[in-house]
Amino acid sequence: MVDSVFMAELSWPEWQQRVADSAIIFLPLGATEQHGPHLPLNVDVILPTAVCERVARATGGIVAPTIQYGYKSMPRSGGGQSFPGTTSLDANTLSLALRDIIRDMATHGARRFVLINGHFENSWPAVEGLDLALRELRRDGITGVTAMRLEYWDFVRPATLDRIFPDGFPGTELEHASLIETSLMLLLRPDLVDLSKVPQEGRASFPTYDIHPAPPGYLRASGVLADARGSRAEIGQWLLDDHVELITAAVKKEFGL
Ligand code: ZN
Ligand code: MN
């Protein structure tokens, strides 16, 4: 028996057996999106995959292949679509892909799912994909399918944020490619981080509304929205510990483990 939490590394009989034993399927939702000049395009893939891997180990679950593309990047949360390399899906495409993936796995016996989102803009298309899958499965007479859906960054202790941001946490939206993501990447993939390229311009400020198309000067040229200066692997470890601990607890509670 292969000892892996990754679905892609299992044979089909191994996958079938684990699912029959009620293993939870963890599905990381990523994106291929610019993260400033100092981080790679796959930050939103690496981070939710790492969280899923650890929570799956703690709960006897399986990590399905990460969704590598996400819903369109928005100026106020990801810098927007104009950055070369930011490669996105229409909302409908993403929703239908998720619908198909969940439906197929459920058709083959999976009953418990946890969608862990790593890209802000994926939230509602993921809700839609999940809803369509559950509706289709009900109509096919497949019942008993339950799913959790969450953003990993919501699972953090206030005391941890106080330690990282002594002057007050500015909020997750502007954290794109900033202190939190950079610190997590320094922990998980330091080989992909170039601290010498961290922008020195401080926090972006946006009005409380969107403008389509984004007018000149609306976008940060660097693609970084807050401030990545001061990023450290140790901060990444504090965050990852909270994410894994608190998500594991929530999963155990919801699925009665
Ligand atoms: Zn990101
Ligand atoms: Mn993102």
Side-chain angles (χ1 to χ4, degrees):
M1 184 107 179
V2 172
D3 182 26
S4 174
V5 289
F6 291 106
M7 175 181 175
E9 297 176 0
L10 302 177
S11 68
W12 74 261
E14 286 165 344
W15 188 86
Q16 183 184 42
Q17 185 58 53
R18 291 210 202 170
V19 157
D21 293 340
S22 301
I24 297 166
I25 306 289
F26 291 86
L27 180 54
L29 309 181
T32 297
E33 177 186 49
Q34 73 81 20
H35 276 73
H38 65 296
L39 292 172
L41 294 166
N42 68 350
V43 170
D44 291 353
V45 167
I46 288 174
L47 302 185
T49 306
V51 171
C52 281
E53 181 183 353
R54 286 157 180 78
V55 177
R57 283 194 206 293
T59 57
I62 299 170
V63 182
T66 304
I67 307 295
Q68 304 274 329
Y69 298 95
Y71 178 54
K72 288 165 200 154
S73 183
M74 294 293 149
R76 292 197 286 148
S77 46
Q81 284 295 117
S82 61
F83 290 86
T86 295
T87 306
S88 308
L89 302 175
D90 288 346
N92 194 41
T93 312
L94 177 58
S95 297
L96 296 185
L98 291 174
R99 177 200 66 184
D100 294 354
I101 291 163
I102 294 162
R103 182 205 53 224
D104 265 12
M105 290 190 195
T107 301
H108 293 147
R111 291 294 177 268
R112 299 166 149 189
F113 295 89
V114 180
L115 277 58
I116 297 191
N117 184 23
H119 171 66
F120 190 82
E121 294 86 337
N122 284 345
S123 302
W124 289 107
V127 170
E128 174 71 353
L130 192 52
D131 185 62
L132 294 176
L134 292 178
R135 188 168 74 185
E136 199 168 300
L137 288 163
R138 266 196 313 275
R139 289 175 182 175
D140 288 348
I142 295 172
T143 54
V145 179
T146 338
M148 291 172 72
R149 195 210 63 81
L150 59 92
E151 279 72 39
Y152 74 79
W153 50 80
D154 287 336
F155 291 75
V156 61
R157 294 185 171 88
T160 305
L161 290 176
D162 288 346
R163 206 169 356 152
I164 301 171
F165 300 98
D167 301 328
F169 178 48
T172 33
E173 270 194 38
L174 281 184
E175 265 305 307
H176 178 75
S178 304
L179 190 76
I180 285 180
E181 285 187 318
T182 304
S183 295
L184 282 165
M185 287 297 288
L186 282 171
L187 173 72
L188 294 165
R189 290 299 303 272
D191 56 309
L192 299 179
V193 183
D194 185 347
L195 286 179
S196 73
K197 297 208 170 86
V198 167
Q200 303 293 312
E201 59 199 349
R203 296 171 52 72
S205 75
F206 290 103
T208 47
Y209 46 83
D210 296 324
I211 303 170
H212 294 266
Y218 193 78
L219 298 174
R220 264 294 172 76
S222 71
V224 178
L225 301 187
D227 203 342
R229 290 174 290 186
S231 296
R232 289 182 286 134
E234 187 190 21
I235 291 174
Q237 188 70 63
W238 299 340
L239 290 162
L240 188 66
D241 286 349
D242 271 15
H243 300 331
V244 172
E245 240 178 85
L246 299 176
I247 294 171
T248 298
V251 168
K252 285 184 171 173
K253 174 171 176 273
E254 289 309 320
F255 291 106
L257 304 179

